[in-house]
Amino acid sequence: MNGKNFQPRRGNLGNKPHPCNNPRDHNPAAARNGGERPPQSRIVAATENFRAPWVQLKYFTFNPNVYPRFVGATSGNIAAGDTVSVYDKDGNAFGHGFYNAGANIPLRIFSHDKEPLPPDFFEKTIRRAIALRTEMLHLPATTDAFRVVHGDADGLNGLVVDKYGDVLSVEVFSFAVYRRIKSWLPIFHDALGTMRETIQLVKGFGSMENVRGCDDSHTAGLREVKIRENGVRFVVDFENGHKTGFFCDQRDNRKRLAQFCAGARVLDLCCYTGGFSLAAKVLGGAADVVGVDLDETAVAQAKRNANLNQARVNFVHSDAFTYARQMQANGELFDVVVLDPPKLIDGRDDYESGFAKYHDLNKVALPLVKKGGLFVTNSCSGLLKAEDFESLVIRVAHRLGCRLQILDRTGPGLDHPVISNYPEGRYLKTLWAIVL
């Protein structure tokens, strides 16, 4: 999310990789289950009736991400990233997925249709995702920056695509998608009228997918693009930006914030490139706005975005903790405080330390809100449940001797849907509260 005061740890998740340019050299037996081969299940149905290549589940799971211990037998001779028919432990047809035996997530299920996949399955899936944003949500009427594909929620496990002006910003999480993305791009461009693209592999892609030689790719000369969002203009910097370059998931929350900002003094902690800051100033008519971020490059971009909108915002390069404590020491108070840190819980091993950082950040930010002022605090860690995040914030408030009049709990825009069998996809949580 906005701001980059912390960089979550990522461990070495992979074994010895195999070449991307020759995926069929991969030995499926090298797949891991905590360093061991995936367990093999007893086949209870005649495998000659299975559509090859196939994978059978050892245990039932409806989660689209199937980890090694849930994988039973396979047809063998499956190249990394191949499409496979999936069968349950009783031998019944269960769906279709991508299989990469050596990956941390060897089986990614993208369909629970029991019939064979039609040749145009992926094209129809892509066009359906685009139609949701353009024909049902009518997003192009208010912005030219929105999420086009949101992974599992759009039936495309391992893929995230954002549209920024005439550019597609693509983030790839699986080798199966990496194998296919170049053939899918013309479908996106045709439906969206885009012309350029940047393809980025998620951090740690090689070890996560047990591959090597896979690289990002970009349209020649592509560095940045200008976008508009509810009347505010931004420059998306693909060379220095985080994730897909911009955080359009906060679009609706930025617009909503503006209605509380007329004549207000606003503090935007972990401001990144100034999304909330500029919404407060340009859309909301705030009297004074301060945006703070530790990422010097992001602060420079935020200043550029302010100039693009002819808006006067005081952007400060500083650690959020240091700045907030200094403001407390100075006795400074704000009518509105927004806290939108980056993802602080990257995995289960990071949960306790990340939870503590959320606690400490809210503890230094909340005292800067005037009595009767608005506190907007966010978490974009999918592993942190909404009720646990809310409890954390409330506990901090009570220990500080104040109460919160909670107005609402929101999340990302409708272009970031969540599929019912993957609740972990509900990552962004925004709590709106008046400080009493």
Side-chain angles (χ1 to χ4, degrees):
M1 293 314 311
N2 294 355
K4 290 289 159 184
N5 283 304
F6 304 101
Q7 293 299 323
R9 301 190 306 273
R10 288 181 182 269
N12 181 7
L13 302 177
N15 272 2
K16 181 179 178 181
H18 66 84
C20 264
N21 59 6
N22 191 10
R24 292 186 180 273
D25 289 344
H26 178 58
N27 178 7
R32 304 175 306 285
N33 181 26
E36 301 177 357
R37 297 182 181 182
Q40 298 295 301
S41 67
R42 179 174 58 88
I43 300 301
V44 298
T47 59
E48 62 266 19
N49 296 325
F50 289 3
R51 292 188 297 269
W54 53 262
V55 172
Q56 187 176 22
L57 300 178
K58 186 174 184 180
Y59 308 106
F60 175 82
T61 176
F62 210 49
N63 193 300
N65 296 324
V66 182
Y67 290 88
R69 69 187 184 90
F70 283 85
V71 176
T74 73
S75 60
N77 197 31
I78 305 174
D82 274 359
T83 299
V84 295
S85 299
V86 181
Y87 294 85
D88 67 18
K89 62 185 181 65
D90 297 320
N92 301 310
F94 190 72
H96 305 272
F98 295 128
Y99 189 66
N100 179 1
N104 287 354
I105 305 173
L107 178 61
R108 295 174 179 265
I109 297 177
F110 55 78
S111 170
H112 284 92
D113 191 343
K114 297 174 177 54
E115 299 300 317
L117 283 182
D120 60 351
F121 173 84
F122 290 113
E123 178 172 0
K124 285 185 175 179
T125 302
I126 291 168
R127 291 189 182 276
R128 182 170 61 249
I130 294 170
L132 171 63
R133 280 76 177 177
T134 58
E135 298 174 18
M136 181 175 291
L137 301 179
H138 304 289
L139 289 174
T142 56
T143 182
D144 58 1
F146 52 86
R147 176 64 48 92
V148 179
V149 169
H150 194 51
D152 298 295
D154 287 299
L156 290 165
N157 189 306
L159 177 65
V160 166
V161 180
D162 285 334
K163 176 187 181 295
Y164 299 128
D166 70 341
V167 177
L168 290 177
S169 185
V170 180
E171 193 170 19
V172 175
F173 294 79
S174 79
F175 180 63
V177 169
Y178 182 86
R179 280 178 48 182
R180 295 164 175 81
I181 189 61
K182 292 293 181 66
S183 65
W184 290 349
L185 285 173
I187 304 171
F188 285 101
H189 287 314
D190 175 67
L192 291 165
T194 48
M195 296 179 290
R196 300 179 291 170
E197 71 272 344
T198 174
I199 302 172
Q200 176 183 343
L201 306 183
V202 69
K203 186 178 179 181
F205 179 87
S207 59
M208 289 167 57
E209 290 297 294
N210 198 34
V211 294
R212 66 171 180 264
C214 301
D215 298 310
D216 300 341
S217 63
H218 318 277
T219 299
L222 176 60
R223 293 181 176 84
E224 62 182 36
V225 66
K226 289 185 175 68
I227 61 170
R228 60 178 176 83
E229 177 189 280
N230 295 314
V232 183
R233 301 176 68 197
F234 296 93
V235 174
V236 179
D237 184 344
F238 298 113
E239 287 190 317
N240 300 304
H242 299 288
K243 295 289 187 177
T244 58
F246 184 73
F247 295 107
C248 53
D249 52 0
Q250 288 280 26
R251 177 183 57 253
D252 294 348
N253 290 327
R254 285 192 282 261
K255 182 179 179 181
R256 189 176 198 180
L257 177 77
Q259 68 181 329
F260 298 97
C261 293
R265 189 180 189 207
V266 179
L267 173 62
D268 181 9
L269 283 173
C270 306
C271 67
Y272 189 45
T273 57
F276 278 110
S277 298
L278 290 171
K281 187 68 176 181
V282 178
L283 299 181
D288 180 43
V289 180
V290 180
V292 180
D293 203 278
L294 182 61
D295 187 331
E296 188 173 9
T297 302
V299 170
Q301 187 62 49
K303 292 178 179 179
R304 186 180 175 193
N305 287 333
N307 291 334
L308 188 64
N309 290 277
Q310 298 182 329
R312 180 172 294 179
V313 176
N314 180 20
F315 287 109
V316 179
H317 174 222
S318 175
D319 174 73
F321 285 105
T322 302
Y323 185 86
R325 287 169 179 149
Q326 186 61 55
M327 291 301 100
Q328 287 186 46
N330 295 347
E332 298 286 348
L333 294 173
F334 297 82
D335 301 298
V336 177
V337 173
V338 178
L339 175 61
D340 189 17
K343 183 178 180 180
L344 302 180
I345 303 174
D346 194 54
R348 299 192 184 281
D349 292 341
D350 300 321
Y351 190 90
E352 289 188 10
S353 62
F355 190 91
K357 288 176 182 177
Y358 280 118
H359 176 278
D360 293 345
L361 270 173
N362 281 273
K363 185 178 179 180
V364 297
L366 209 156
L368 299 178
V369 187
K370 288 181 180 179
K371 294 294 183 181
L374 178 69
F375 185 47
V376 182
T377 182
N378 300 264
S379 166
C380 63
S381 297
L383 289 176
L384 180 58
K385 295 180 180 179
E387 56 269 25
D388 293 335
F389 177 61
E390 184 172 329
S391 295
L392 177 153
V393 176
I394 292 173
R395 190 161 55 250
V396 167
H398 291 177
R399 288 177 178 174
L400 290 171
C402 61
R403 292 174 299 136
L404 300 179
Q405 183 181 28
I406 297 174
L407 303 180
D408 204 357
R409 308 157 185 85
T410 58
L414 299 183
D415 51 339
H416 291 67
V418 178
I419 198 73
S420 61
N421 57 318
Y422 189 63
E424 297 93 328
R426 194 181 302 277
Y427 67 99
L428 176 60
K429 298 157 285 285
T430 305
L431 186 68
W432 303 74
I434 301 297
V435 178
L436 302 177

Coordinates of all heavy atoms in Angstrom, one line a residue, residues 281-321:
K281 N -6.3 17.7 -0.8 CA -6.0 19.1 -1.2 C -6.9 19.5 -2.4 O -7.6 20.5 -2.5 CB -4.5 19.3 -1.5 CG -4.1 20.7 -1.8 CD -4.3 21.6 -0.6 CE -3.8 23.0 -0.8 NZ -3.9 23.8 0.4
V282 N -6.8 18.6 -3.5 CA -7.4 19.0 -4.8 C -8.9 18.8 -4.7 O -9.7 19.6 -5.2 CB -6.7 18.2 -5.9 CG1 -7.4 18.5 -7.2 CG2 -5.2 18.4 -6.0
L283 N -9.3 17.6 -4.2 CA -10.7 17.3 -4.2 C -11.4 17.8 -3.0 O -12.6 18.2 -3.0 CB -11.0 15.8 -4.3 CG -10.4 15.0 -5.5 CD1 -10.7 13.5 -5.4 CD2 -11.0 15.6 -6.8
G284 N -10.7 17.8 -1.8 CA -11.4 18.2 -0.6 C -11.2 19.6 -0.1 O -11.9 20.1 0.8
G285 N -10.3 20.3 -0.7 CA -10.1 21.7 -0.3 C -9.5 21.9 1.0 O -9.8 22.8 1.8
A286 N -8.6 21.0 1.4 CA -7.9 21.1 2.7 C -7.1 22.4 2.8 O -6.5 22.8 1.8 CB -7.0 19.9 2.9
A287 N -7.0 23.0 4.0 CA -6.2 24.2 4.1 C -4.7 23.9 4.1 O -3.9 24.7 3.6 CB -6.6 24.9 5.4
D288 N -4.3 22.8 4.8 CA -2.9 22.5 4.9 C -2.8 21.0 4.9 O -3.5 20.2 5.6 CB -2.4 23.0 6.3 CG -1.0 22.7 6.5 OD1 -0.2 22.9 5.6 OD2 -0.6 22.3 7.6
V289 N -1.9 20.4 4.1 CA -1.7 19.0 4.0 C -0.2 18.7 4.1 O 0.7 19.3 3.4 CB -2.2 18.4 2.6 CG1 -1.9 16.9 2.6 CG2 -3.7 18.8 2.4
V290 N 0.1 17.7 4.9 CA 1.5 17.2 5.1 C 1.5 15.8 4.7 O 0.8 15.0 5.3 CB 2.0 17.4 6.5 CG1 3.5 16.9 6.6 CG2 2.0 18.9 6.9
G291 N 2.4 15.4 3.8 CA 2.6 14.0 3.5 C 4.0 13.5 3.9 O 5.0 14.2 3.6
V292 N 4.1 12.4 4.5 CA 5.4 11.9 5.1 C 5.6 10.5 4.6 O 4.8 9.6 4.6 CB 5.3 11.8 6.6 CG1 6.7 11.4 7.2 CG2 5.0 13.2 7.2
D293 N 6.9 10.2 4.1 CA 7.3 8.9 3.7 C 8.8 8.7 3.8 O 9.5 9.7 3.6 CB 6.8 8.6 2.3 CG 6.7 7.1 2.0 OD1 7.7 6.5 1.7 OD2 5.6 6.6 2.1
L294 N 9.2 7.5 4.1 CA 10.6 7.2 4.2 C 11.3 7.0 2.9 O 12.5 7.2 2.8 CB 10.8 5.9 5.1 CG 12.2 5.5 5.4 CD1 13.0 6.6 6.1 CD2 12.2 4.2 6.1
D295 N 10.5 6.7 1.9 CA 11.1 6.4 0.5 C 11.3 7.8 -0.2 O 10.4 8.5 -0.6 CB 10.1 5.6 -0.3 CG 10.7 5.1 -1.6 OD1 11.5 5.9 -2.2 OD2 10.2 4.1 -2.1
E296 N 12.6 8.1 -0.3 CA 13.0 9.4 -0.9 C 12.5 9.6 -2.3 O 12.0 10.6 -2.8 CB 14.5 9.6 -0.8 CG 14.9 11.0 -1.2 CD 16.4 11.2 -0.9 OE1 17.1 10.2 -0.6 OE2 16.9 12.4 -1.0
T297 N 12.6 8.5 -3.1 CA 12.1 8.5 -4.5 C 10.6 8.7 -4.5 O 10.1 9.5 -5.4 CB 12.5 7.2 -5.2 OG1 13.9 7.0 -5.1 CG2 12.0 7.2 -6.6
A298 N 9.8 8.1 -3.6 CA 8.4 8.3 -3.6 C 8.0 9.7 -3.2 O 7.1 10.3 -3.8 CB 7.8 7.3 -2.6
V299 N 8.8 10.3 -2.3 CA 8.5 11.7 -1.9 C 8.8 12.6 -3.1 O 8.0 13.6 -3.4 CB 9.4 12.1 -0.7 CG1 9.3 13.6 -0.5 CG2 8.9 11.3 0.5
A300 N 9.8 12.4 -3.8 CA 10.1 13.2 -5.0 C 9.0 13.1 -6.0 O 8.6 14.1 -6.7 CB 11.5 12.8 -5.6
Q301 N 8.5 11.9 -6.2 CA 7.4 11.7 -7.1 C 6.1 12.3 -6.6 O 5.3 12.9 -7.4 CB 7.1 10.2 -7.3 CG 6.1 9.8 -8.4 CD 6.5 10.3 -9.8 OE1 7.6 10.0 -10.2 NE2 5.6 11.0 -10.5
A302 N 5.9 12.3 -5.3 CA 4.7 13.0 -4.7 C 4.8 14.5 -5.0 O 3.7 15.1 -5.3 CB 4.6 12.7 -3.2
K303 N 5.9 15.1 -4.9 CA 6.1 16.5 -5.2 C 5.8 16.8 -6.6 O 5.2 17.8 -7.0 CB 7.5 17.0 -4.8 CG 7.8 16.9 -3.3 CD 9.2 17.3 -3.0 CE 9.5 17.3 -1.5 NZ 10.9 17.7 -1.2
R304 N 6.2 15.9 -7.5 CA 6.0 16.1 -8.9 C 4.5 16.0 -9.2 O 3.9 16.7 -10.0 CB 6.7 15.0 -9.7 CG 6.6 15.1 -11.2 CD 7.4 14.0 -11.9 NE 7.2 14.1 -13.3 CZ 7.6 13.1 -14.2 NH1 8.1 12.0 -13.7 NH2 7.4 13.3 -15.5
N305 N 3.8 15.1 -8.5 CA 2.3 14.9 -8.7 C 1.6 16.2 -8.2 O 0.6 16.6 -8.8 CB 1.8 13.7 -8.0 CG 2.2 12.4 -8.7 OD1 2.4 12.4 -9.9 ND2 2.3 11.3 -7.9
A306 N 2.1 16.8 -7.1 CA 1.5 18.0 -6.6 C 1.7 19.1 -7.6 O 0.7 19.9 -7.9 CB 2.2 18.4 -5.3
N307 N 2.8 19.2 -8.2 CA 3.1 20.2 -9.3 C 2.2 20.0 -10.5 O 1.7 21.0 -11.1 CB 4.5 20.2 -9.7 CG 5.5 20.7 -8.6 OD1 5.0 21.5 -7.7 ND2 6.7 20.3 -8.6
L308 N 1.9 18.7 -10.8 CA 1.1 18.4 -11.9 C -0.3 18.9 -11.7 O -1.0 19.3 -12.7 CB 1.1 16.9 -12.1 CG 0.4 16.3 -13.4 CD1 1.1 16.8 -14.7 CD2 0.4 14.8 -13.4
N309 N -0.8 18.9 -10.4 CA -2.1 19.4 -10.1 C -2.1 20.9 -9.6 O -3.2 21.3 -9.1 CB -2.7 18.5 -9.0 CG -3.0 17.1 -9.6 OD1 -4.1 16.9 -10.1 ND2 -2.1 16.2 -9.4
Q310 N -1.0 21.5 -9.7 CA -0.8 22.9 -9.2 C -1.4 23.0 -7.7 O -2.1 23.9 -7.4 CB -1.6 23.9 -10.1 CG -1.0 23.9 -11.5 CD -1.7 24.9 -12.4 OE1 -2.9 25.2 -12.3 NE2 -1.0 25.4 -13.4
A311 N -1.0 22.0 -6.9 CA -1.4 21.9 -5.5 C -0.3 22.1 -4.6 O 0.8 21.6 -4.8 CB -2.1 20.6 -5.3
R312 N -0.5 22.9 -3.5 CA 0.6 23.1 -2.5 C 0.4 22.1 -1.4 O -0.5 22.2 -0.6 CB 0.5 24.5 -2.0 CG 1.6 24.8 -1.0 CD 1.6 26.3 -0.6 NE 2.0 27.1 -1.7 CZ 2.1 28.5 -1.7 NH1 1.8 29.1 -0.5 NH2 2.5 29.1 -2.7
V313 N 1.3 21.1 -1.4 CA 1.4 20.1 -0.3 C 2.8 20.0 0.2 O 3.8 20.1 -0.6 CB 0.9 18.7 -0.8 CG1 1.0 17.7 0.2 CG2 -0.5 18.8 -1.4
N314 N 2.9 19.9 1.5 CA 4.2 19.8 2.2 C 4.6 18.3 2.3 O 4.1 17.7 3.2 CB 4.2 20.5 3.5 CG 5.6 20.4 4.2 OD1 6.6 20.2 3.6 ND2 5.6 20.6 5.5
F315 N 5.4 17.9 1.4 CA 5.9 16.5 1.4 C 7.2 16.4 2.2 O 8.1 17.1 1.9 CB 6.0 15.9 0.0 CG 4.7 15.6 -0.6 CD1 4.2 16.3 -1.7 CD2 3.8 14.6 -0.1 CE1 3.0 16.1 -2.2 CE2 2.6 14.3 -0.7 CZ 2.2 15.1 -1.7
V316 N 7.3 15.5 3.1 CA 8.5 15.4 4.0 C 9.1 14.0 3.9 O 8.4 13.0 4.0 CB 8.1 15.6 5.5 CG1 9.3 15.5 6.4 CG2 7.4 17.0 5.6
H317 N 10.4 14.0 3.7 CA 11.1 12.7 3.7 C 11.5 12.4 5.1 O 12.4 13.0 5.7 CB 12.4 12.8 2.8 CG 13.2 11.6 2.8 ND1 14.6 11.7 2.8 CD2 12.9 10.3 2.8 CE1 15.1 10.5 2.9 NE2 14.1 9.6 2.9
S318 N 10.8 11.4 5.7 CA 11.1 11.0 7.1 C 10.5 9.7 7.4 O 9.5 9.3 6.8 CB 10.5 12.1 8.0 OG 10.7 11.7 9.4
D319 N 11.1 9.0 8.4 CA 10.4 7.8 9.0 C 9.2 8.2 9.7 O 9.1 9.3 10.4 CB 11.4 7.2 9.9 CG 10.8 6.0 10.7 OD1 10.6 5.0 10.0 OD2 10.5 6.2 11.9
A320 N 8.1 7.5 9.5 CA 6.8 7.8 10.1 C 6.9 7.9 11.6 O 6.3 8.8 12.2 CB 5.7 6.8 9.7
F321 N 7.6 6.9 12.2 CA 7.7 7.0 13.7 C 8.4 8.2 14.2 O 8.0 8.9 15.1 CB 8.6 5.7 14.2 CG 7.8 4.4 14.1 CD1 8.1 3.5 13.1 CD2 6.9 4.1 15.1 CE1 7.4 2.3 13.1 CE2 6.2 2.9 15.1 CZ 6.5 2.0 14.1

